[in-house]
Amino acid sequence: MQVTDILEQHNNLFSLFLCLLIIVGISACGDLSQEESKQVNEALRDSLTSSTETWDMDMEIMEDGQKKVRLWGSYAATYSNDDKNETRIKGPVTVHVFDSVGAVKTKVFSNRAVYKPEDTIFELFGDVQVETRDNRHLDSEYLEWNQSTNNISTPKFVIIKTPTDSIAGTGFEGDTDLVDYTIKEPKGRVIVD
């Protein structure tokens, strides 16, 4: 008789455990609180971020079948999600900008860069140097290049050297050829003969 009583108690405990498990499962299927729903959505958004890595990066940007830009870097990481899509490039970074016949018209060098393809913007950081084919040079610590408008700008200090003169100042806006530009706060000396 005792064996039968023990089996009945075991079956009763098992049934009770099973009922509790079902009740917990059903209550968990209810609506999530607003805070719980927010946490789930943030976790899903984070998991929808994709990234790729490239070493010894060599990237070309084409437009209408014609090469417009070629960029080299030692390492690149691309991050994509709903909010942003950008490629972070470690240097040394070299950028060649091509004219309509495929010749290099401008060379840019920097320590690192960020490329934002939706906005067609390059941000260049650290020891930025721009060299044009007609021997114009720009030096700065930061430069933003809007590829679609072909304009470059910086709020930082710049030095521009041309075959005939040089100028320095803070705040720069101009074209990639360094022909048409504005320096907001020019500094330096002018010698008049």
Side-chain angles (χ1 to χ4, degrees), residues 99-125:
D99 64 12
S100 59
V101 294
V104 175
K105 70 176 185 173
T106 305
K107 296 178 183 178
V108 184
F109 307 93
S110 70
N111 293 340
R112 63 186 181 91
V114 174
Y115 175 55
K116 300 173 183 177
E118 280 87 21
D119 302 322
T120 64
I121 289 178
F122 285 90
E123 288 184 281
L124 302 139
F125 302 89

Side-chain angles (χ1 to χ4, degrees), residues 40-182:
V40 168
N41 286 337
E42 286 176 6
L44 286 173
R45 185 172 38 251
D46 287 344
S47 68
L48 296 176
T49 298
S50 65
S51 63
T52 58
E53 294 181 295
T54 306
W55 286 263
D56 297 324
M57 187 197 76
D58 185 351
M59 174 175 80
E60 290 183 348
I61 298 175
M62 307 287 283
E63 187 177 289
D64 298 326
Q66 188 174 24
K67 185 175 10 177
K68 291 293 184 181
V69 177
R70 186 167 182 189
L71 185 139
W72 296 270
S74 61
Y75 169 81
T78 301
Y79 302 94
S80 300
N81 63 22
D82 289 341
D83 297 334
K84 69 177 178 179
N85 180 18
E86 68 180 30
T87 301
R88 298 176 188 167
I89 306 146
K90 291 185 179 179
V93 174
T94 303
V95 180
H96 287 181
V97 181
F98 297 90
D99 64 12
S100 59
V101 294
V104 175
K105 70 176 185 173
T106 305
K107 296 178 183 178
V108 184
F109 307 93
S110 70
N111 293 340
R112 63 186 181 91
V114 174
Y115 175 55
K116 300 173 183 177
E118 280 87 21
D119 302 322
T120 64
I121 289 178
F122 285 90
E123 288 184 281
L124 302 139
F125 302 89
D127 196 22
V128 180
Q129 300 172 25
V130 178
E131 299 175 0
T132 68
R133 66 178 158 207
D134 59 348
N135 209 22
R136 296 173 179 268
H137 300 273
L138 176 143
D139 294 303
S140 186
E141 282 303 308
Y142 170 80
L143 194 66
E144 180 179 291
W145 171 37
N146 185 324
Q147 183 189 351
S148 61
T149 62
N150 202 33
N151 286 325
I152 55 179
S153 63
T154 183
K156 304 280 187 181
F157 183 77
V158 297
I159 298 171
I160 297 176
K161 298 174 190 167
T162 69
T164 58
D165 62 3
S166 65
I167 187 168
T170 303
F172 170 89
E173 291 181 10
D175 60 13
T176 58
D177 295 333
L178 302 177
V179 173
D180 295 318
Y181 57 85
T182 301

Side-chain angles (χ1 to χ4, degrees), residues 12-37:
N12 287 341
L13 285 173
F14 180 75
S15 296
L16 180 62
F17 178 74
L18 187 59
C19 286
L20 284 173
L21 188 61
I22 290 172
I23 290 170
V24 169
I26 290 173
S27 67
C29 291
D31 292 336
L32 295 175
S33 72
Q34 202 171 23
E35 181 64 27
E36 291 169 330
S37 179

